[in-house]
Amino acid sequence: MIGISPDLVRHRLQRAFEALEEACVLQEAGHFNAAVSRLYYACFYAISALLLTEGQAFAKHTSVLATLDRNWIKPGKVPVQVGRFTRKMFERRQQSDYGDLVKFDETDIERWAVQAQETVDALATVIEQTLAIP
């Protein structure tokens, strides 16, 4: 557990929104596999910001996803689809970064970009509500 710093939480959330913008730039340039990575990281940064509101930080992505499930999704504080989509994007990022002959197309990126934006927006709402609680 670490101390809660609202500034650090907001910094991580800002990184999530920046990653969404980076994914758009990469998509427009035709770098679809790289865009997948940025879409995943947008979700990851937003989840990391959320976990920081509890004073939690992890080095492993799997720990971040497991803690999201345990502390936020199972109690019903965050929609189930946030976890499902982020896990799907984690798998796609693994494929795009480490898989041979893996090629995503623009249609995939367009669909996932909408879902990533919805995910980050949903998490941002929960974060702001959480930070507002004294």
Side-chain angles (χ1 to χ4, degrees), residues 10-133:
R10 287 189 177 97
H11 168 75
R12 291 265 176 96
L13 190 55
Q14 181 59 37
R15 288 192 69 194
F17 286 109
E18 289 171 2
L20 289 171
E21 291 174 12
E22 293 163 358
C24 288
V25 170
L26 290 165
Q27 176 188 356
E28 289 172 8
H31 300 294
F32 305 129
N33 282 24
V36 167
S37 180
R38 299 321 300 157
L39 292 173
Y40 165 71
Y41 272 100
C43 299
F44 176 79
Y45 294 144
I47 293 166
S48 295
L50 180 64
L51 298 185
L52 281 173
T53 68
E54 298 180 308
Q56 299 203 27
F58 302 94
K60 293 184 157 221
H61 290 240
T62 53
S63 297
V64 168
L65 296 174
T67 304
L68 172 72
D69 286 342
R70 183 179 61 251
N71 294 6
W72 293 90
I73 293 175
K74 285 185 180 171
K77 300 177 197 175
V78 168
V80 172
Q81 60 265 30
V82 166
R84 285 185 186 143
F85 176 72
T86 303
R87 284 190 181 282
K88 175 177 153 180
M89 292 311 297
F90 176 72
E91 293 168 7
R92 299 299 184 270
R93 186 204 50 107
Q94 294 285 90
Q95 292 171 333
S96 72
D97 286 352
Y98 306 113
D100 292 324
L101 305 174
V102 174
K103 184 84 172 143
F104 295 103
D105 63 34
E106 189 165 14
T107 304
D108 294 327
I109 304 309
E110 288 172 355
R111 183 176 69 253
W112 295 335
V114 169
Q115 292 175 292
Q117 181 73 57
E118 290 170 349
T119 296
V120 172
D121 288 343
L123 290 168
T125 299
V126 174
I127 289 166
E128 289 305 322
Q129 291 169 347
T130 302
L131 290 179
I133 297 170

